[in-house]
Amino acid sequence: MGTRTVRVQDLLGLLHGLYPPELAEEWDNVGLQVGDPAAPVERVLVALDPGLAAVAAASRQGAQLLVTHHPLLFKPLRRLTTDDPVGRVVWQAVRDGVAIVSAHTNLDVAAEGLNRWLAEQLELIAAEPLQATAGQLLKLVVFVPVAHAEAVAEALFAAGAGQIGGYDQCSFRTTGLGTFRPGPGTTPFLGETGRLERVEETRLETIVPQRRLGRVLERLIKAHPYEEVAYDLVPLANVLPDTGLGRIGRLAEALPLAALAERVKVALDCQSVRLVGTPERVVGKVAVCGGSGAGLIQEARRRGADVLVTGDVKYHEARLAEDLELALLDAGHFATERLAVGKLAARLGEEATARGWRLDISIHDGERDPFVVC
């Protein structure tokens, strides 16, 4: 495995496994932005933004792949020219043989993603998603001859079904009587053509993430003894465990808002924070959202947060927080997301090692916050 050539599509598949693209917002554009999926990769550079500087750094380091948090392409290009900022990046990436892959809002909401890392950086205890993600789960119900139920269940579990939080191989089984009559041209596993058959069957129920449905159904059909497999798929409104936008947790010890602001500055290595609320107010329950999280102000208050740590807060959003008696700490978009670069590089390195891939993965250390405090 270690001698196999690793290609862009391998890294793309790895990222999609960790941060499924269906978790991304509808307006977002994640995945491969520029490049040849079949191109070989030996070096990877991880950055926050897919700008000219990041592409140039990747080229200098001999990296064939640039992995970024923010996507390069949000809207369809009507032309590709060097007098357009996005066009220049695409032009340079293609010229230098640097593919660009992005993990954006799918990284934000993932269980092992940006907002979890942000909560950990601020030492929040018992942090959980602030706004949970729902609608990504299905219940699979299949009817199997009793003697084959275990083999089919094992095939489903191996394909990724049956995972609920920290538990796997979860299912529910009941036994009943199934009936069917094989028609002309069929080759039934049990019974005879034209004759009603009664079989003791197991009703096997389990849960399947939407992203794994194709593989699960493929394994189901292969493992099931019947020529025609009877199964139901039921969409669920259940939330995905540990998946969602933002995080909310508590401090080990409540402290004044001004003291929390100083902790945030140190933890996120930023020069300043903007504060909404009384500096002397004591806070204990903290919500966080990397990047632009002001849209979660009301949800943070509903969940009982004393303060929301985020970036890009606008005037009227600050007024809304005041009216709701929710304190805000605006550390900026860059500072609340920059930590994702190192964390993502480390995670990719761990997964590459586990697969026996020989990859050199590094971070782009030349990025700076575009805002300067005077």
Side-chain angles (χ1 to χ4, degrees), residues 18-83:
L18 295 173
Y19 313 111
E22 60 266 24
L23 293 180
E25 298 288 342
E26 290 186 5
W27 50 264
D28 204 2
N29 182 31
V30 301
L32 183 61
Q33 310 278 297
V34 177
D36 178 5
V41 177
E42 295 179 352
R43 292 183 176 86
V44 179
L45 184 67
V46 183
L48 186 65
D49 295 308
L52 284 173
V55 174
S59 183
R60 284 195 306 271
Q61 296 176 27
Q64 299 84 14
L65 176 63
L66 174 65
V67 177
T68 67
H69 181 45
H70 294 134
L72 173 64
L73 306 173
F74 274 111
K75 300 177 181 179
L77 295 177
R78 302 186 66 174
R79 61 185 63 84
L80 182 58
T81 63
T82 56
D83 60 359

Short mmCIF file of all heavy atoms in Angstrom, two decimals, residues 18-83:
data_model
loop_
_atom_site.label_atom_id
_atom_site.label_comp_id
_atom_site.label_asym_id
_atom_site.label_seq_id
_atom_site.Cartn_x
_atom_site.Cartn_y
_atom_site.Cartn_z
N LEU A 18 -14.17 12.21 5.80
CA LEU A 18 -14.09 12.90 7.08
C LEU A 18 -15.13 14.01 7.18
O LEU A 18 -15.74 14.22 8.25
CB LEU A 18 -12.69 13.51 7.26
CG LEU A 18 -11.52 12.54 7.36
CD1 LEU A 18 -10.21 13.31 7.34
CD2 LEU A 18 -11.63 11.70 8.63
N TYR A 19 -15.33 14.73 6.07
CA TYR A 19 -16.22 15.89 6.05
C TYR A 19 -17.14 15.77 4.84
O TYR A 19 -16.90 16.39 3.79
CB TYR A 19 -15.38 17.17 5.98
CG TYR A 19 -14.25 17.16 6.97
CD1 TYR A 19 -12.92 17.06 6.55
CD2 TYR A 19 -14.50 17.21 8.34
CE1 TYR A 19 -11.88 17.02 7.47
CE2 TYR A 19 -13.46 17.16 9.26
CZ TYR A 19 -12.15 17.07 8.81
OH TYR A 19 -11.13 17.01 9.72
N PRO A 20 -18.21 14.97 4.96
CA PRO A 20 -19.08 14.69 3.81
C PRO A 20 -19.60 15.95 3.15
O PRO A 20 -20.09 16.86 3.83
CB PRO A 20 -20.23 13.89 4.46
CG PRO A 20 -19.63 13.27 5.68
CD PRO A 20 -18.65 14.29 6.19
N PRO A 21 -19.51 16.03 1.83
CA PRO A 21 -19.95 17.25 1.12
C PRO A 21 -21.43 17.55 1.30
O PRO A 21 -21.84 18.71 1.21
CB PRO A 21 -19.61 16.96 -0.34
CG PRO A 21 -19.41 15.48 -0.42
CD PRO A 21 -18.92 15.04 0.91
N GLU A 22 -22.26 16.51 1.59
CA GLU A 22 -23.69 16.78 1.78
C GLU A 22 -23.97 17.54 3.07
O GLU A 22 -25.07 18.03 3.27
CB GLU A 22 -24.50 15.49 1.74
CG GLU A 22 -24.13 14.47 2.79
CD GLU A 22 -23.12 13.46 2.29
OE1 GLU A 22 -22.38 13.77 1.34
OE2 GLU A 22 -23.07 12.35 2.85
N LEU A 23 -22.98 17.65 3.95
CA LEU A 23 -23.14 18.45 5.16
C LEU A 23 -22.99 19.95 4.87
O LEU A 23 -23.35 20.77 5.71
CB LEU A 23 -22.11 18.05 6.21
CG LEU A 23 -22.25 16.65 6.82
CD1 LEU A 23 -21.15 16.43 7.85
CD2 LEU A 23 -23.61 16.45 7.45
N ALA A 24 -22.44 20.29 3.70
CA ALA A 24 -22.22 21.69 3.36
C ALA A 24 -23.54 22.41 3.09
O ALA A 24 -24.55 21.80 2.71
CB ALA A 24 -21.32 21.80 2.14
N GLU A 25 -23.54 23.73 3.30
CA GLU A 25 -24.72 24.54 2.99
C GLU A 25 -24.98 24.52 1.48
O GLU A 25 -24.06 24.33 0.68
CB GLU A 25 -24.49 25.99 3.45
CG GLU A 25 -24.29 26.15 4.95
CD GLU A 25 -25.57 25.95 5.73
OE1 GLU A 25 -26.66 26.02 5.12
OE2 GLU A 25 -25.48 25.72 6.95
N GLU A 26 -26.24 24.75 1.11
CA GLU A 26 -26.61 24.69 -0.31
C GLU A 26 -25.86 25.72 -1.15
O GLU A 26 -25.55 25.48 -2.31
CB GLU A 26 -28.12 24.90 -0.46
CG GLU A 26 -28.96 23.74 0.06
CD GLU A 26 -30.43 23.92 -0.23
OE1 GLU A 26 -30.78 24.89 -0.93
OE2 GLU A 26 -31.24 23.10 0.23
N TRP A 27 -25.54 26.87 -0.55
CA TRP A 27 -24.87 27.93 -1.30
C TRP A 27 -23.37 27.68 -1.44
O TRP A 27 -22.69 28.37 -2.19
CB TRP A 27 -25.08 29.29 -0.62
CG TRP A 27 -24.76 29.29 0.85
CD1 TRP A 27 -25.64 29.13 1.88
CD2 TRP A 27 -23.46 29.42 1.46
NE1 TRP A 27 -24.98 29.16 3.09
CE2 TRP A 27 -23.65 29.35 2.86
CE3 TRP A 27 -22.18 29.61 0.96
CZ2 TRP A 27 -22.60 29.45 3.76
CZ3 TRP A 27 -21.12 29.70 1.85
CH2 TRP A 27 -21.32 29.62 3.24
N ASP A 28 -22.87 26.70 -0.71
CA ASP A 28 -21.44 26.47 -0.65
C ASP A 28 -20.97 25.65 -1.85
O ASP A 28 -21.76 25.03 -2.56
CB ASP A 28 -21.10 25.74 0.65
CG ASP A 28 -19.67 25.95 1.10
OD1 ASP A 28 -18.93 26.68 0.41
OD2 ASP A 28 -19.28 25.38 2.13
N ASN A 29 -19.66 25.64 -2.07
CA ASN A 29 -19.06 24.86 -3.15
C ASN A 29 -17.80 24.19 -2.61
O ASN A 29 -16.75 24.82 -2.51
CB ASN A 29 -18.71 25.75 -4.35
CG ASN A 29 -18.12 24.94 -5.50
OD1 ASN A 29 -18.47 23.78 -5.68
ND2 ASN A 29 -17.24 25.55 -6.27
N VAL A 30 -17.92 22.94 -2.22
CA VAL A 30 -16.80 22.25 -1.61
C VAL A 30 -16.30 21.14 -2.53
O VAL A 30 -16.97 20.76 -3.48
CB VAL A 30 -17.19 21.65 -0.24
CG1 VAL A 30 -17.66 22.74 0.71
CG2 VAL A 30 -18.28 20.59 -0.39
N GLY A 31 -15.12 20.64 -2.23
CA GLY A 31 -14.54 19.58 -3.04
C GLY A 31 -13.48 20.11 -3.99
O GLY A 31 -12.82 21.12 -3.74
N LEU A 32 -13.30 19.43 -5.11
CA LEU A 32 -12.27 19.78 -6.09
C LEU A 32 -12.67 21.05 -6.82
O LEU A 32 -13.70 21.12 -7.46
CB LEU A 32 -12.08 18.63 -7.07
CG LEU A 32 -10.98 18.80 -8.12
CD1 LEU A 32 -9.61 18.96 -7.47
CD2 LEU A 32 -10.98 17.63 -9.10
N GLN A 33 -11.82 22.06 -6.74
CA GLN A 33 -12.06 23.35 -7.39
C GLN A 33 -11.30 23.46 -8.71
O GLN A 33 -11.82 23.96 -9.69
CB GLN A 33 -11.61 24.49 -6.47
CG GLN A 33 -12.15 24.41 -5.04
CD GLN A 33 -13.55 24.96 -4.94
OE1 GLN A 33 -13.79 26.14 -5.17
NE2 GLN A 33 -14.49 24.09 -4.57
N VAL A 34 -10.07 23.02 -8.70
CA VAL A 34 -9.19 23.11 -9.87
C VAL A 34 -8.31 21.87 -9.88
O VAL A 34 -7.83 21.45 -8.82
CB VAL A 34 -8.30 24.36 -9.81
CG1 VAL A 34 -7.34 24.40 -11.02
CG2 VAL A 34 -9.11 25.64 -9.76
N GLY A 35 -8.08 21.28 -11.05
CA GLY A 35 -7.09 20.23 -11.14
C GLY A 35 -7.59 18.93 -11.73
O GLY A 35 -8.79 18.75 -11.98
N ASP A 36 -6.66 18.01 -11.93
CA ASP A 36 -6.91 16.70 -12.51
C ASP A 36 -7.05 15.68 -11.38
O ASP A 36 -6.11 15.45 -10.62
CB ASP A 36 -5.73 16.32 -13.41
CG ASP A 36 -5.87 14.93 -14.02
OD1 ASP A 36 -6.91 14.29 -13.83
OD2 ASP A 36 -4.91 14.50 -14.69
N PRO A 37 -8.22 15.03 -11.24
CA PRO A 37 -8.40 14.06 -10.16
C PRO A 37 -7.39 12.92 -10.20
O PRO A 37 -7.06 12.35 -9.16
CB PRO A 37 -9.82 13.53 -10.39
CG PRO A 37 -10.50 14.58 -11.20
CD PRO A 37 -9.44 15.19 -12.06
N ALA A 38 -6.89 12.59 -11.39
CA ALA A 38 -5.96 11.47 -11.52
C ALA A 38 -4.50 11.86 -11.34
O ALA A 38 -3.61 11.01 -11.40
CB ALA A 38 -6.14 10.80 -12.88
N ALA A 39 -4.22 13.14 -11.10
CA ALA A 39 -2.85 13.59 -10.95
C ALA A 39 -2.21 13.03 -9.68
O ALA A 39 -2.84 12.99 -8.64
CB ALA A 39 -2.80 15.12 -10.93
N PRO A 40 -0.95 12.59 -9.75
CA PRO A 40 -0.28 12.06 -8.56
C PRO A 40 0.05 13.16 -7.56
O PRO A 40 0.26 14.31 -7.94
CB PRO A 40 1.00 11.42 -9.14
CG PRO A 40 1.23 12.15 -10.42
CD PRO A 40 -0.11 12.51 -10.96
N VAL A 41 0.07 12.79 -6.27
CA VAL A 41 0.35 13.75 -5.20
C VAL A 41 1.42 13.17 -4.28
O VAL A 41 1.28 12.05 -3.80
CB VAL A 41 -0.92 14.07 -4.37
CG1 VAL A 41 -0.59 15.02 -3.23
CG2 VAL A 41 -2.00 14.65 -5.25
N GLU A 42 2.46 13.96 -4.04
CA GLU A 42 3.49 13.60 -3.07
C GLU A 42 3.55 14.61 -1.92
O GLU A 42 3.91 14.26 -0.80
CB GLU A 42 4.86 13.53 -3.74
CG GLU A 42 4.98 12.43 -4.78
CD GLU A 42 6.34 12.40 -5.43
OE1 GLU A 42 7.14 13.36 -5.18
OE2 GLU A 42 6.63 11.46 -6.19
N ARG A 43 3.18 15.86 -2.22
CA ARG A 43 3.21 16.91 -1.21
C ARG A 43 1.89 17.67 -1.21
O ARG A 43 1.32 17.92 -2.26
CB ARG A 43 4.36 17.88 -1.46
CG ARG A 43 5.74 17.27 -1.25
CD ARG A 43 6.84 18.32 -1.43
NE ARG A 43 8.15 17.76 -1.15
CZ ARG A 43 8.89 17.11 -2.04
NH1 ARG A 43 8.44 16.96 -3.28
NH2 ARG A 43 10.07 16.61 -1.71
N VAL A 44 1.44 18.02 0.00
CA VAL A 44 0.17 18.73 0.18
C VAL A 44 0.42 19.95 1.04
O VAL A 44 1.12 19.87 2.07
CB VAL A 44 -0.89 17.83 0.87
CG1 VAL A 44 -2.19 18.59 1.07
CG2 VAL A 44 -1.12 16.55 0.06
N LEU A 45 -0.14 21.08 0.65
CA LEU A 45 -0.09 22.30 1.46
C LEU A 45 -1.51 22.62 1.91
O LEU A 45 -2.44 22.60 1.11
CB LEU A 45 0.49 23.47 0.65
CG LEU A 45 0.70 24.78 1.42
CD1 LEU A 45 1.79 24.62 2.47
CD2 LEU A 45 1.03 25.93 0.47
N VAL A 46 -1.68 22.94 3.19
CA VAL A 46 -2.99 23.27 3.75
C VAL A 46 -3.02 24.76 4.09
O VAL A 46 -2.08 25.26 4.74
CB VAL A 46 -3.31 22.43 4.99
CG1 VAL A 46 -4.71 22.75 5.52
CG2 VAL A 46 -3.18 20.95 4.69
N ALA A 47 -4.06 25.46 3.68
CA ALA A 47 -4.17 26.90 3.90
C ALA A 47 -5.62 27.27 4.21
O ALA A 47 -6.54 26.47 4.00
CB ALA A 47 -3.68 27.67 2.68
N LEU A 48 -5.79 28.48 4.70
CA LEU A 48 -7.14 28.98 4.97
C LEU A 48 -7.79 29.46 3.68
O LEU A 48 -8.94 29.14 3.38
CB LEU A 48 -7.10 30.12 5.99
CG LEU A 48 -8.45 30.64 6.48
CD1 LEU A 48 -9.19 29.57 7.27
CD2 LEU A 48 -8.26 31.89 7.33
N ASP A 49 -7.07 30.24 2.90
CA ASP A 49 -7.61 30.88 1.69
C ASP A 49 -6.87 30.41 0.43
O ASP A 49 -5.64 30.28 0.44
CB ASP A 49 -7.50 32.40 1.80
CG ASP A 49 -8.35 32.96 2.91
OD1 ASP A 49 -9.55 32.64 2.95
OD2 ASP A 49 -7.82 33.72 3.75
N PRO A 50 -7.61 30.23 -0.67
CA PRO A 50 -7.00 29.81 -1.94
C PRO A 50 -6.56 31.01 -2.78
O PRO A 50 -7.04 31.20 -3.90
CB PRO A 50 -8.12 29.02 -2.61
CG PRO A 50 -9.36 29.74 -2.17
CD PRO A 50 -9.09 30.25 -0.78
N GLY A 51 -5.66 31.82 -2.26
CA GLY A 51 -5.20 33.00 -2.98
C GLY A 51 -3.94 32.74 -3.78
O GLY A 51 -3.37 31.65 -3.76
N LEU A 52 -3.50 33.77 -4.49
CA LEU A 52 -2.27 33.65 -5.29
C LEU A 52 -1.08 33.28 -4.43
O LEU A 52 -0.23 32.48 -4.84
CB LEU A 52 -2.00 34.97 -6.02
CG LEU A 52 -2.87 35.28 -7.24
CD1 LEU A 52 -2.59 36.68 -7.73
CD2 LEU A 52 -2.59 34.27 -8.35
N ALA A 53 -1.00 33.84 -3.22
CA ALA A 53 0.14 33.57 -2.34
C ALA A 53 0.17 32.10 -1.94
O ALA A 53 1.25 31.49 -1.88
CB ALA A 53 0.06 34.46 -1.11
N ALA A 54 -1.00 31.52 -1.67
CA ALA A 54 -1.05 30.11 -1.28
C ALA A 54 -0.65 29.21 -2.44
O ALA A 54 0.07 28.22 -2.26
CB ALA A 54 -2.44 29.76 -0.77
N VAL A 55 -1.14 29.52 -3.64
CA VAL A 55 -0.78 28.72 -4.81
C VAL A 55 0.72 28.83 -5.08
O VAL A 55 1.39 27.83 -5.37
CB VAL A 55 -1.59 29.16 -6.04
CG1 VAL A 55 -1.11 28.43 -7.29
CG2 VAL A 55 -3.07 28.89 -5.83
N ALA A 56 1.26 30.05 -4.96
CA ALA A 56 2.70 30.25 -5.18
C ALA A 56 3.52 29.49 -4.14
O ALA A 56 4.55 28.88 -4.46
CB ALA A 56 3.03 31.73 -5.12
N ALA A 57 3.06 29.48 -2.88
CA ALA A 57 3.77 28.74 -1.83
C ALA A 57 3.73 27.25 -2.12
O ALA A 57 4.73 26.54 -1.94
CB ALA A 57 3.13 29.04 -0.48
N ALA A 58 2.58 26.75 -2.57
CA ALA A 58 2.48 25.33 -2.92
C ALA A 58 3.44 24.99 -4.05
O ALA A 58 4.14 23.96 -4.02
CB ALA A 58 1.04 24.99 -3.31
N SER A 59 3.51 25.86 -5.05
CA SER A 59 4.39 25.63 -6.18
C SER A 59 5.85 25.62 -5.76
O SER A 59 6.64 24.76 -6.18
CB SER A 59 4.14 26.70 -7.25
OG SER A 59 4.93 26.47 -8.39
N ARG A 60 6.24 26.57 -4.90
CA ARG A 60 7.63 26.64 -4.44
C ARG A 60 8.03 25.38 -3.68
O ARG A 60 9.17 24.92 -3.76
CB ARG A 60 7.84 27.85 -3.54
CG ARG A 60 7.91 29.18 -4.24
CD ARG A 60 8.47 30.26 -3.33
NE ARG A 60 7.72 30.36 -2.07
CZ ARG A 60 6.66 31.12 -1.89
NH1 ARG A 60 6.19 31.84 -2.91
NH2 ARG A 60 6.05 31.17 -0.72
N GLN A 61 7.09 24.84 -2.91
CA GLN A 61 7.37 23.68 -2.08
C GLN A 61 7.21 22.35 -2.84
O GLN A 61 7.44 21.28 -2.28
CB GLN A 61 6.45 23.67 -0.86
CG GLN A 61 6.67 24.85 0.07
CD GLN A 61 5.68 24.87 1.22
OE1 GLN A 61 5.17 23.83 1.62
NE2 GLN A 61 5.40 26.05 1.75
N GLY A 62 6.84 22.45 -4.10
CA GLY A 62 6.65 21.24 -4.88
C GLY A 62 5.38 20.49 -4.53
O GLY A 62 5.28 19.28 -4.77
N ALA A 63 4.39 21.18 -3.96
CA ALA A 63 3.12 20.54 -3.60
C ALA A 63 2.22 20.47 -4.83
O ALA A 63 2.05 21.46 -5.54
CB ALA A 63 2.43 21.32 -2.49
N GLN A 64 1.67 19.30 -5.05
CA GLN A 64 0.74 19.12 -6.17
C GLN A 64 -0.70 19.39 -5.78
O GLN A 64 -1.58 19.44 -6.64
CB GLN A 64 0.85 17.69 -6.72
CG GLN A 64 2.21 17.32 -7.24
CD GLN A 64 3.16 16.84 -6.15
OE1 GLN A 64 2.75 16.54 -5.04
NE2 GLN A 64 4.44 16.79 -6.48
N LEU A 65 -0.95 19.54 -4.45
CA LEU A 65 -2.32 19.75 -3.99
C LEU A 65 -2.35 20.81 -2.90
O LEU A 65 -1.55 20.77 -1.96
CB LEU A 65 -2.91 18.44 -3.43
CG LEU A 65 -4.31 18.52 -2.82
CD1 LEU A 65 -5.34 18.93 -3.87
CD2 LEU A 65 -4.71 17.18 -2.19
N LEU A 66 -3.26 21.76 -3.04
CA LEU A 66 -3.52 22.79 -2.04
C LEU A 66 -4.90 22.52 -1.45
O LEU A 66 -5.90 22.54 -2.17
CB LEU A 66 -3.47 24.18 -2.69
CG LEU A 66 -3.86 25.37 -1.80
CD1 LEU A 66 -2.87 25.54 -0.65
CD2 LEU A 66 -3.96 26.66 -2.62
N VAL A 67 -4.95 22.25 -0.16
CA VAL A 67 -6.21 22.03 0.54
C VAL A 67 -6.54 23.29 1.33
O VAL A 67 -5.74 23.73 2.16
CB VAL A 67 -6.14 20.81 1.49
CG1 VAL A 67 -7.44 20.66 2.27
CG2 VAL A 67 -5.84 19.55 0.71
N THR A 68 -7.69 23.89 1.08
CA THR A 68 -8.08 25.13 1.75
C THR A 68 -9.42 24.98 2.45
O THR A 68 -10.21 24.09 2.13
CB THR A 68 -8.17 26.29 0.75
OG1 THR A 68 -9.27 26.07 -0.16
CG2 THR A 68 -6.89 26.44 -0.05
N HIS A 69 -9.64 25.89 3.40
CA HIS A 69 -10.95 25.94 4.06
C HIS A 69 -11.93 26.70 3.17
O HIS A 69 -12.99 26.19 2.83
CB HIS A 69 -10.82 26.61 5.42
CG HIS A 69 -12.11 26.69 6.17
ND1 HIS A 69 -12.99 25.63 6.26
CD2 HIS A 69 -12.69 27.71 6.87
CE1 HIS A 69 -14.04 25.99 6.98
NE2 HIS A 69 -13.89 27.24 7.36
N HIS A 70 -11.57 27.89 2.77
CA HIS A 70 -12.47 28.68 1.93
C HIS A 70 -12.37 28.24 0.47
O HIS A 70 -11.27 28.05 -0.04
CB HIS A 70 -12.13 30.18 2.04
CG HIS A 70 -12.38 30.74 3.40
ND1 HIS A 70 -11.48 31.54 4.06
CD2 HIS A 70 -13.42 30.58 4.25
CE1 HIS A 70 -11.96 31.87 5.25
NE2 HIS A 70 -13.14 31.30 5.38
N PRO A 71 -13.50 28.06 -0.20
CA PRO A 71 -13.49 27.67 -1.61
C PRO A 71 -12.98 28.80 -2.51
O PRO A 71 -13.11 29.98 -2.17
CB PRO A 71 -14.95 27.35 -1.92
CG PRO A 71 -15.61 27.19 -0.59
CD PRO A 71 -14.87 28.08 0.35
N LEU A 72 -12.43 28.41 -3.64
CA LEU A 72 -12.02 29.39 -4.64
C LEU A 72 -13.21 29.82 -5.48
O LEU A 72 -13.36 30.99 -5.82
CB LEU A 72 -10.93 28.78 -5.53
CG LEU A 72 -10.50 29.62 -6.74
CD1 LEU A 72 -9.85 30.93 -6.29
CD2 LEU A 72 -9.54 28.82 -7.62
N LEU A 73 -14.07 28.88 -5.83
CA LEU A 73 -15.18 29.14 -6.74
C LEU A 73 -16.51 29.05 -6.01
O LEU A 73 -16.86 28.00 -5.49
CB LEU A 73 -15.17 28.13 -7.90
CG LEU A 73 -13.85 28.02 -8.69
CD1 LEU A 73 -13.93 26.86 -9.67
CD2 LEU A 73 -13.57 29.32 -9.42
N PHE A 74 -17.23 30.17 -5.98
CA PHE A 74 -18.58 30.18 -5.40
C PHE A 74 -19.64 30.29 -6.48
O PHE A 74 -20.75 29.80 -6.33
CB PHE A 74 -18.73 31.35 -4.43
CG PHE A 74 -18.25 31.06 -3.04
CD1 PHE A 74 -17.12 31.67 -2.54
CD2 PHE A 74 -18.92 30.16 -2.23
CE1 PHE A 74 -16.67 31.40 -1.26
CE2 PHE A 74 -18.49 29.88 -0.95
CZ PHE A 74 -17.36 30.51 -0.46
N LYS A 75 -19.31 30.95 -7.57
CA LYS A 75 -20.25 31.16 -8.66
C LYS A 75 -19.64 30.67 -9.96
O LYS A 75 -18.41 30.64 -10.10
CB LYS A 75 -20.60 32.65 -8.78
CG LYS A 75 -21.25 33.25 -7.54
CD LYS A 75 -21.50 34.74 -7.73
CE LYS A 75 -22.13 35.36 -6.48
NZ LYS A 75 -22.36 36.83 -6.65
N PRO A 76 -20.49 30.28 -10.93
CA PRO A 76 -19.95 29.85 -12.23
C PRO A 76 -19.14 30.97 -12.87
O PRO A 76 -19.52 32.15 -12.81
CB PRO A 76 -21.21 29.54 -13.04
CG PRO A 76 -22.27 29.27 -12.02
CD PRO A 76 -21.96 30.16 -10.86
N LEU A 77 -18.02 30.62 -13.50
CA LEU A 77 -17.19 31.61 -14.19
C LEU A 77 -17.73 31.84 -15.60
O LEU A 77 -17.97 30.90 -16.34
CB LEU A 77 -15.74 31.13 -14.27
CG LEU A 77 -14.99 30.97 -12.95
CD1 LEU A 77 -13.60 30.41 -13.20
CD2 LEU A 77 -14.90 32.30 -12.23
N ARG A 78 -17.89 33.10 -15.95
CA ARG A 78 -18.36 33.42 -17.30
C ARG A 78 -17.19 33.57 -18.25
O ARG A 78 -17.33 33.52 -19.46
CB ARG A 78 -19.19 34.71 -17.27
CG ARG A 78 -20.38 34.62 -16.35
CD ARG A 78 -21.27 35.83 -16.45
NE ARG A 78 -21.90 35.94 -17.76
CZ ARG A 78 -22.82 36.85 -18.07
NH1 ARG A 78 -23.24 37.70 -17.16
NH2 ARG A 78 -23.32 36.91 -19.28
N ARG A 79 -16.02 33.78 -17.68
CA ARG A 79 -14.79 33.83 -18.48
C ARG A 79 -13.63 33.49 -17.58
O ARG A 79 -13.74 33.58 -16.35
CB ARG A 79 -14.61 35.23 -19.09
CG ARG A 79 -14.47 36.34 -18.05
CD ARG A 79 -14.42 37.70 -18.69
NE ARG A 79 -15.65 38.01 -19.40
CZ ARG A 79 -16.73 38.51 -18.81
NH1 ARG A 79 -16.75 38.74 -17.50
NH2 ARG A 79 -17.81 38.77 -19.49
N LEU A 80 -12.51 33.07 -18.18
CA LEU A 80 -11.32 32.73 -17.42
C LEU A 80 -10.18 33.58 -17.96
O LEU A 80 -9.56 33.26 -18.98
CB LEU A 80 -10.99 31.25 -17.55
CG LEU A 80 -9.79 30.74 -16.77
CD1 LEU A 80 -9.96 31.01 -15.28
CD2 LEU A 80 -9.60 29.24 -17.01
N THR A 81 -9.91 34.71 -17.28
CA THR A 81 -8.89 35.64 -17.72
C THR A 81 -8.02 36.06 -16.54
O THR A 81 -8.43 35.96 -15.38
CB THR A 81 -9.52 36.92 -18.34
OG1 THR A 81 -10.29 37.60 -17.32
CG2 THR A 81 -10.44 36.56 -19.50
N THR A 82 -6.85 36.55 -16.83
CA THR A 82 -5.92 36.95 -15.78
C THR A 82 -6.22 38.34 -15.23
O THR A 82 -5.55 38.77 -14.28
CB THR A 82 -4.48 36.92 -16.30
OG1 THR A 82 -4.36 37.76 -17.45
CG2 THR A 82 -4.07 35.51 -16.67
N ASP A 83 -7.20 39.05 -15.77
CA ASP A 83 -7.56 40.35 -15.21
C ASP A 83 -8.66 40.24 -14.17
O ASP A 83 -9.17 41.24 -13.67
CB ASP A 83 -7.96 41.35 -16.31
CG ASP A 83 -9.16 40.89 -17.12
OD1 ASP A 83 -9.67 39.77 -16.84
OD2 ASP A 83 -9.57 41.62 -18.04
#
